[in-house]
């Protein structure tokens, strides 16, 4: 219980820092719909496993960090992320904008059992490795995060810079 309280305190400070995430339940329902349609669409699209340009290994661990936490790709590249969970709890790598990820993290807190298998994410059990193939079609700076409840809030986030 104590940990939970600390976690929500963190969330509150995150939220007030950005002014985001202030929506009621009705909005939530709408957001779920939107989110089913336009999943991580600003970053690109699910990649064709037969057209992978490059593998990028990402380690996830129980210090709530990704290694590396900063990844550079070129626009048009199809990356196979090899996500290795070296921790003792489940972790996941979810691609999105920080705004999308924040909303998603909010839903995960509300519905902790929510399981999903969207093309922009991979969940990895402890000691296992998962793969995620994604094509980056736009230049810009994007984000990824672990949305297991509490992990995003503890800082389990990273950045992907897509150059032209
Ligand atoms: Cu995690």
């Amino acid at each position: 219980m104590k940990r939970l309280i600390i976690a929500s305190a963190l969330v509150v400070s995150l939220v007030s820092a950005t002014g985001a995430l202030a929506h009621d339940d009705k909005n939530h329902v709408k957001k779920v719909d939107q989110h089913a349609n336009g999943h991580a669409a600003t970053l690109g699209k699910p990649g064709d496993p037969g057209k992978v340009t490059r593998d990028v290994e990402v380690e996830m661990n129980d210090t709530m960090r990704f290694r590396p936490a900063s990844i550079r790709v070129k626009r048009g590249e199809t990356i196979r992320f090899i996500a290795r969970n070296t921790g003792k709890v489940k972790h996941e790598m979810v691609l999105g904008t920080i705004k999308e990820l924040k909303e998603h993290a909010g839903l995960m807190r509300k519905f902790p059992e929510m399981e999903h298998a969207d093309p922009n994410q991979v969940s990895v059990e402890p000691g296992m490795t998962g793969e995620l193939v994604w094509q980056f079609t736009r230049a810009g700076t994007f984000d990824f995060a672990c949305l297991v409840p509490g992990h995003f809030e503890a800082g389990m986030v990273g950045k992907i810079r897509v150059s032209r």
Side-chain angles (χ1 to χ4, degrees):
M1 196 59 203
K2 210 173 192 175
R3 274 185 62 175
L4 257 177
I5 292 166
I6 293 166
S8 17
L10 262 170
V11 172
V12 170
S13 59
L14 261 176
V15 169
S16 52
T18 61
L21 266 181
H23 43 238
D24 56 21
D25 279 351
K26 221 155 113 205
N27 275 335
H28 256 301
V29 176
K30 219 158 75 193
K31 290 253 161 62
V32 175
D33 280 353
Q34 281 173 1
H35 146 118
N37 299 329
H39 233 118
T42 47
L43 281 85
K45 56 185 185 185
D48 176 349
K51 292 182 180 161
V52 170
T53 338
R54 201 154 54 94
D55 287 347
V56 173
E57 267 201 49
V58 180
E59 187 206 328
M60 309 185 287
N61 61 51
D62 296 348
T63 63
M64 304 303 162
R65 291 294 179 270
F66 288 103
R67 215 169 51 195
S70 177
I71 297 166
R72 286 171 180 277
V73 307
K74 283 207 179 81
R75 191 175 66 171
E77 269 193 308
T78 298
I79 303 292
R80 175 171 36 221
F81 292 101
I82 300 171
R84 193 180 303 280
N85 183 350
T86 59
K88 292 198 161 44
V89 300
K90 187 169 93 172
H91 290 291
E92 54 187 32
M93 182 179 185
V94 186
L95 307 178
T97 60
I98 201 73
K99 184 170 175 278
E100 286 172 337
L101 295 167
K102 245 175 225 167
E103 285 172 6
H104 199 153
L107 286 173
M108 293 291 281
R109 277 194 306 277
K110 270 197 144 165
F111 309 105
E113 299 84 36
M114 191 167 81
E115 287 282 343
H116 33 39
D118 297 316
N120 65 322
Q121 72 133 70
V122 60
S123 293
V124 188
E125 297 295 328
M128 305 297 279
T129 297
E131 288 189 2
L132 169 57
V133 179
W134 193 261
Q135 185 180 17
F136 292 88
T137 55
R138 288 199 205 187
T141 301
F142 303 105
D143 307 278
F144 60 99
C146 175
L147 299 183
V148 171
H151 294 201
F152 174 81
E153 293 79 3
M156 199 163 178
V157 295
K159 284 214 174 297
I160 300 174
R161 291 186 174 81
V162 185
S163 59
R164 292 175 186 284

